[in-house]
């Protein structure tokens, strides 16, 4: 027997519930002409806090709306709703569905929502099976206002799932389940790999106590969101990193408007100092967005620090291999509409090479752009080496009376050809240089003192 991947729908695959979208489609097409009592209020509460007993009572009463109608009456509304709902399904949920299918597991949608209303959506999203509440059809081919089999909610859901698993030869101990609701605890407890997705407060506490993964499909895999608050840990880092806390450096940042307010983009910056990380934090703070940053695998291998880096949205790059895993993770983030930040140089140039006005980079950003068509945004950093020279183990935090200025300029998207990664990389690096001050483009012989400052351990 093999395992399966079982997904709840509302507040799991999408941020809120499907109820408002299904209702709107039925109203627009004239399938129904009256609303259930308290419908709008209960939908709002569901989106905010998840399932409640009143919302489930409303779902059970929906059989009365269908009573006396033929199932085909709802077909057009169900298809229209599927189009609308598919647009708001979290992209990382879709990626996970594909991963499970690639691993040979059947993917199952298990939902309280009536089968005749949700089957078109399940088909559109590529689910292999649907376990949903089914309304009874009488001898005249009309709904009679009752339910056939289980009401697929809480214990009724796990009962329906067990019946399906036995019929299909599925081992639940080898299966995965994903849900947001404490009422799906019977299902989550029945599988070998339970996952609390955007969990309600009670499920959050239970998942923490049991050591279950808490995941969020609106951000890249591994990114941590603070329970109850529902915000990324990275945003808390931004709140804790105002420029006032680094009085030993002054930031001069311009061109933030070139970072898209929404959608994917690849942020590429030059690398001059370990202080560049703090500098990029200030850039992201100003942009109002979070990003997935590519960094050396060695950082992620440090106990504790690696887990924090991943939770903050970091993507480890193994420089000893082809880096295919990091490349694929970055591509998934972009496909999900996120920002990806990287430094194509890979490391800070040493010694005399630090002063070379021609920047050389690796082809990762160009290859990412070619497969995702995400815009590449160049960022020029200058002066960060004055705060934390390559030769120093720590930044100069005592220079608060005359702190050096860290100049940052964000350029317009780089015009790429997508034919040659090497040629596009040269275009990217040239665009970064264009964001630097004029002296960065001057060919000159550095002094011995300058070479010492750019050499580690000197």
């Amino acid at each position: 027997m093999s395992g399966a991947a079982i997904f709840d729908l509302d507040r799991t695959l999408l941020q809120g519930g499907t109820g408002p979208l299904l209702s709107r489609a039925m109203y627009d097409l004239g399938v129904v002409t009256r609303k259930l009592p308290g419908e709008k209020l209960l939908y709002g509460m569901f989106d905010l806090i998840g399932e409640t007993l009143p919302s489930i009572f409303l779902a059970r009463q929906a059989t009365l709306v269908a009573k006396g109608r033929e199932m085909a009456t709802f077909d057009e509304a169900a298809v229209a709703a599927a189009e609308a709902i598919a647009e708001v399904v979290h992209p990382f949920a879709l990626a996970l569905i594909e991963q499970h299918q690639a691993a040979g597991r059947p993917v199952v949608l298990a939902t309280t929502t009536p089968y005749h209303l949700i089957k078109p959506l399940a088909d559109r999203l590529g689910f292999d099976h649907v376990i949903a509440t089914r309304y009874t059809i009488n001898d005249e081919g009309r709904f009679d206002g009752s339910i056939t089999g289980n009401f697929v909610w809480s214990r009724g859901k796990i009962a329906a799932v067990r019946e399906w698993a036995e019929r299909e030869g599925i081992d639940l101990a080898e299966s995965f389940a994903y849900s947001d609701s404490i009422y799906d605890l019977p299902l989550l407890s029945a599988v070998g790999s339970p996952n609390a997705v955007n969990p309600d407060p009670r499920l959050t506490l239970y998942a923490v106590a049991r050591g279950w993964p808490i995941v969020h499909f609106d951000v890249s895999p591994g990114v941590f969101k603070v329970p109850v608050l529902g915000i990324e840990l990275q945003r808390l880092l931004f709140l804790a990193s105002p420029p006032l806390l680094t009085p030993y450096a002054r930031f001069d940042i311009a061109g933030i408007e070139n970072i898209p307010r929404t959608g994917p983009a690849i942020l590429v910056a030059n690398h001059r100092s370990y202080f560049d990380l703090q500098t990029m934090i200030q850039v992201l703070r100003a942009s109002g967005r979070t990003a997935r940053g590519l960094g050396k695998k060695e950082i992620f291998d440090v106990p504790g620090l690696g887990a924090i880096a991943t939770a903050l949205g970091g993507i480890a790059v193994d420089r000893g291999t082809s880096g295919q895993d990091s490349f694929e993770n970055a591509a998934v983030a972009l496909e999900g509409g996120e920002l990806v930040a990287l430094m194509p140089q890979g490391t800070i140039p040493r010694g005399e090479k630090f002063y070379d006005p021609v920047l050389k980079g690796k082809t990762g950003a160009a290859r990412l752009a070619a497969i995702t068509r995400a815009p590449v945004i160049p960022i020029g950093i200058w002066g960060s080496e004055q705060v934390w020279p390559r030769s120093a183990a720590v930044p100069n935090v005592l220079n608060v009376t005359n702190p050096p200025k860290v100049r940052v300029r964000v350029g317009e998207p780089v015009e790429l050809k997508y034919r040659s990664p090497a040629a596009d990389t040269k275009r990217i690096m040239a665009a970064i240089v264009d964001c630097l001050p004029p002296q960065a483009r001057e060919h000159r012989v550095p002094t011995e003192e300058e070479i010492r400052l750019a050499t580690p351990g000197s």
Side-chain angles (χ1 to χ4, degrees):
M1 297 176 71
S2 61
I6 306 164
F7 290 82
D8 177 44
L9 176 59
D10 295 332
R11 282 178 49 90
T12 299
L13 294 182
L14 59 157
Q15 193 68 33
T18 55
L21 296 173
L22 285 165
S23 294
R24 185 178 307 128
M26 288 188 286
Y27 297 146
D28 290 347
L29 293 168
V31 176
V32 296
T33 57
R34 58 188 176 88
K35 297 184 179 181
L36 292 170
E39 177 181 302
K40 184 175 181 181
L41 175 62
L42 287 173
Y43 284 154
M45 289 179 59
F46 180 88
D47 286 350
L48 182 64
I49 62 175
E51 286 182 351
T52 60
L53 293 178
S55 69
I56 295 304
F57 175 78
L58 177 67
R60 292 220 55 157
Q61 298 310 302
T63 56
L64 301 177
V65 176
K67 185 177 181 180
R69 296 175 178 269
E70 295 181 354
M71 186 169 69
T73 305
F74 296 88
D75 289 352
E76 188 177 356
V79 172
E83 294 296 316
I85 296 168
E87 293 298 319
V88 293
V89 170
H90 293 313
F92 297 110
L94 298 177
L96 183 60
I97 288 171
E98 292 178 357
Q99 290 172 17
H100 278 300
Q101 289 175 325
R105 300 184 192 95
V107 179
V108 186
L109 182 64
T111 176
T112 309
T113 306
Y115 181 90
H116 64 280
L117 292 179
I118 214 63
K119 182 63 163 61
L121 175 66
D123 292 341
R124 196 180 190 286
L125 298 181
F127 279 92
D128 301 303
H129 300 272
V130 181
I131 301 172
T133 303
R134 292 178 182 260
Y135 292 179
T136 305
I137 300 176
N138 61 24
D139 293 339
E140 297 175 354
R142 298 177 182 274
F143 292 121
D144 69 3
S146 65
I147 291 173
T148 296
N150 296 286
F151 178 59
V152 183
W153 175 74
S154 193
R155 295 194 179 280
K157 181 181 284 190
I158 185 56
V161 167
R162 288 189 188 281
E163 290 174 7
W164 170 84
E166 184 175 352
R167 193 166 60 246
E168 297 292 331
I170 296 296
D171 184 359
L172 292 182
E174 297 293 326
S175 296
F176 296 73
Y178 302 86
S179 178
D180 71 290
S181 175
I182 189 65
Y183 295 109
D184 271 339
L185 196 56
L187 170 62
L188 293 170
S189 300
V191 300
S193 299
N195 293 266
V197 183
N198 186 33
D200 60 35
R202 287 179 292 174
L203 183 57
T204 297
L205 293 175
Y206 195 91
V208 170
R210 293 290 301 271
W212 290 354
I214 296 177
V215 299
H216 299 271
F217 289 152
D218 58 339
V219 293
S220 287
V223 174
F224 182 76
K225 296 185 78 172
V226 181
V228 182
L229 296 178
I231 63 173
E232 284 188 45
L233 184 62
Q234 190 176 134
R235 290 201 179 277
L236 290 187
L237 175 63
F238 293 170
L239 291 174
S241 305
L244 289 175
L245 292 185
T246 52
Y248 49 90
R250 293 181 295 118
F251 293 101
D252 172 18
I253 302 174
I256 289 296
E257 67 278 4
N258 290 318
I259 297 177
R261 299 294 297 172
T262 60
I266 304 167
L267 309 183
V268 290
N270 61 314
H271 204 2
R272 298 186 65 80
S273 165
Y274 296 121
F275 195 69
D276 292 340
L277 174 59
Q278 177 64 24
T279 302
M280 288 300 295
I281 288 174
Q282 299 307 320
V283 171
L284 291 170
R285 284 183 84 251
S287 77
R289 298 190 63 182
T290 58
R292 310 297 158 234
L294 275 70
K296 301 174 184 177
K297 181 178 179 293
E298 290 81 357
I299 296 174
F300 292 80
D301 288 338
V302 177
L305 180 60
I308 293 173
T310 299
L312 285 168
I315 298 174
V317 178
D318 189 349
R319 295 181 296 173
T321 66
S322 64
Q324 186 62 28
D325 286 347
S326 59
F327 183 85
E328 291 176 356
N329 290 337
V332 167
L334 290 168
E335 289 168 3
E338 296 186 316
L339 297 180
V340 167
L342 60 102
M343 293 177 169
Q345 290 169 281
T347 189
I348 306 169
R350 299 183 177 207
E352 192 170 349
K353 292 181 179 178
F354 184 85
Y355 301 94
D356 190 340
V358 179
L359 301 184
K360 299 177 178 62
K362 302 183 184 300
T363 61
R367 291 186 292 117
L368 276 173
I371 67 169
T372 65
R373 289 302 193 265
V376 177
I377 311 298
I379 299 175
I381 299 174
W382 190 260
S384 58
E385 74 283 358
Q386 301 294 327
V387 182
W388 193 341
R390 189 77 163 88
S391 60
V394 294
N396 181 7
V397 299
L398 300 179
N399 191 3
V400 296
T401 57
N402 186 30
K405 180 173 71 174
V406 179
R407 177 188 183 275
V408 182
R409 293 294 181 268
V410 182
E412 295 182 353
V414 185
E415 186 175 339
L416 303 177
K417 304 300 183 184
Y418 306 117
R419 292 193 293 267
S420 164
D424 276 345
T425 298
K426 290 182 179 179
R427 294 182 179 97
I428 290 170
M429 303 312 292
I432 294 174
V433 171
D434 287 343
C435 294
L436 299 174
Q439 60 265 38
R441 295 185 283 277
E442 296 176 358
H443 286 271
R444 66 182 184 85
V445 178
T447 66
E448 290 186 7
E449 174 61 15
E450 288 175 327
I451 293 175
R452 185 191 67 79
L453 288 173
T455 304
S458 61

